[in-house]
Amino acid sequence: MGEVTVPVSDRDASAEPDGRITVTRQGHVLLMGIDRPEKYNGLTPKMFSELADAFTQLDEDPELRVGVLHSFGKHFTAGLELTKFAEGMKKGDSVTEEKAQARVDPFALKRKCSKPVITAVQGICYTAGIEMMLASDIVIASKDTRFAQLEPRRGLMATGGGTLRFIERCGWGNGMYHLLLCDGEFSADEGLRIGIVQEVVEPGTQVARAIELANRIATLAPLAIQETKRSAMLYVEEGEAAAKAVLDQVQAKLANTEDAAEGVQSFIERRAGNFKGR
């Protein structure tokens, strides 16, 4: 299992006023950091473009197995910096503005990442921040996290997946309660109760915990992990019949891999598997 090292930002805010996304490799794990803390990590078009690049790198690099999305400073993100997106919204432009849908969409509304992503959140996590974390697979929240899905207060609606994934994760009543009331912030414990958060941890430990879980996943057979995510996504998007229809053929494909042979051998020898992703 890889060593847990939490990245530290060295960004010069005056040189990069529109923020940036940091990319750090730790073994088979890719850390993607939102870095604009002086503006509550408010998201700009530049940052979304860099996020798409980072997610695409994770998806396409065979040596990378798991991603961790995190942020620097006291807050995850206050959401979009609306003044930088308002004109595009009037034209119906997508926030992510993917070029021919070639890159992975951080909201997972277009091209999706085939590999697991864990999101670590803290402090303010509003609007687009919630939608990005809900596009990931596992969410680790600091106890001080404050969530809010507030778009109707600005005459807009959540279009980064919030209207879909609140219902998917929480059920109709809990989803509508927070999507429609827009009644201010709710806590990490409430997020855990309704299902948008999987673990609540002490402040300052959320990124380390996310990396720890990512490292654990990265020790497993990567092809099997990716097919597990793909099967679950197929169920959500196309239903039970579609997911069931391909179970046997996918399992047969996996059973004929080198990793499956290694899995059997490691079972016989009572040791951890050494998986190569082939």
Side-chain angles (χ1 to χ4, degrees):
M1 187 178 295
E3 180 183 353
V4 173
T5 303
V6 176
V8 178
S9 173
D10 60 356
R11 170 174 161 264
D12 180 352
S14 63
E16 295 182 281
D18 279 353
R20 68 174 182 178
I21 302 299
T22 65
V23 177
T24 307
R25 299 176 73 113
Q26 287 189 14
H28 294 301
V29 175
L30 188 70
L31 311 182
M32 301 171 286
I34 301 171
D35 194 3
R36 199 185 180 216
E38 73 281 2
K39 296 291 185 179
Y40 293 83
N41 284 322
L43 297 160
T44 65
K46 171 183 181 288
M47 293 166 76
F48 264 110
S49 181
E50 291 177 2
L51 263 176
D53 286 339
F55 272 82
T56 304
Q57 179 183 349
L58 169 64
D59 198 51
E60 296 181 350
D61 188 330
E63 292 301 311
L64 293 171
R65 300 182 181 180
V66 188
V68 172
L69 178 63
H70 67 98
S71 63
F72 296 97
K74 295 180 179 179
H75 306 288
F76 183 64
T77 176
L80 302 182
E81 186 168 321
L82 280 178
T83 55
K84 296 182 181 292
F85 289 97
E87 288 305 312
M89 288 179 177
K90 290 178 183 179
K91 300 174 188 175
D93 292 343
S94 167
V95 166
T96 49
E97 217 171 313
E98 291 313 301
K99 300 171 182 176
Q101 299 187 16
R103 296 183 295 175
V104 172
D105 177 4
F107 286 140
L109 295 174
K110 298 174 185 173
R111 177 180 166 187
K112 297 174 175 60
C113 186
S114 63
K115 298 172 184 176
V117 177
I118 301 173
T119 302
V121 298
Q122 75 280 351
I124 289 172
C125 182
Y126 286 1
T127 59
I130 296 178
E131 293 178 297
M132 284 194 300
M133 82 177 201
L134 290 180
S136 71
D137 303 294
I138 297 171
V139 177
I140 308 300
S142 166
K143 285 184 178 179
D144 65 2
T145 309
R146 295 135 58 193
F147 296 106
Q149 198 78 61
L150 300 170
E151 284 87 346
R153 287 190 178 187
R154 306 290 181 257
L156 303 169
M157 78 170 197
T159 54
T163 56
L164 317 177
R165 297 195 175 103
F166 261 93
I167 306 308
E168 176 189 305
R169 303 283 180 95
C170 312
W172 188 269
N174 285 329
M176 288 294 103
Y177 186 87
H178 291 293
L179 287 170
L180 297 181
L181 285 174
C182 302
D183 57 348
E185 299 171 339
F186 60 95
S187 68
D189 286 337
E190 170 68 357
L192 183 67
R193 183 190 74 81
I194 64 177
I196 65 171
V197 168
Q198 281 61 66
E199 288 188 16
V200 176
V201 298
E202 291 299 322
T205 67
Q206 69 281 349
V207 179
R209 178 58 175 163
I211 296 171
E212 178 188 356
L213 294 180
N215 282 333
R216 285 169 56 182
I217 295 171
T219 66
L220 305 173
L223 298 180
I225 288 291
Q226 290 164 37
E227 291 295 350
T228 297
K229 177 173 177 174
R230 187 174 290 113
S231 177
M233 289 173 59
L234 183 61
Y235 170 74
V236 168
E237 294 178 353
E238 298 186 29
E240 181 178 346
K244 286 164 58 176
V246 296
L247 287 176
D248 289 344
Q249 67 189 63
V250 172
Q251 188 76 303
K253 180 177 71 173
L254 289 172
N256 283 283
T257 62
E258 292 180 26
D259 279 353
E262 166 63 10
V264 172
Q265 193 61 35
S266 65
F267 174 78
I268 293 170
E269 298 176 6
R270 299 190 179 187
R271 58 171 174 80
N274 181 20
F275 298 112
K276 305 296 185 183
R278 55 179 186 261

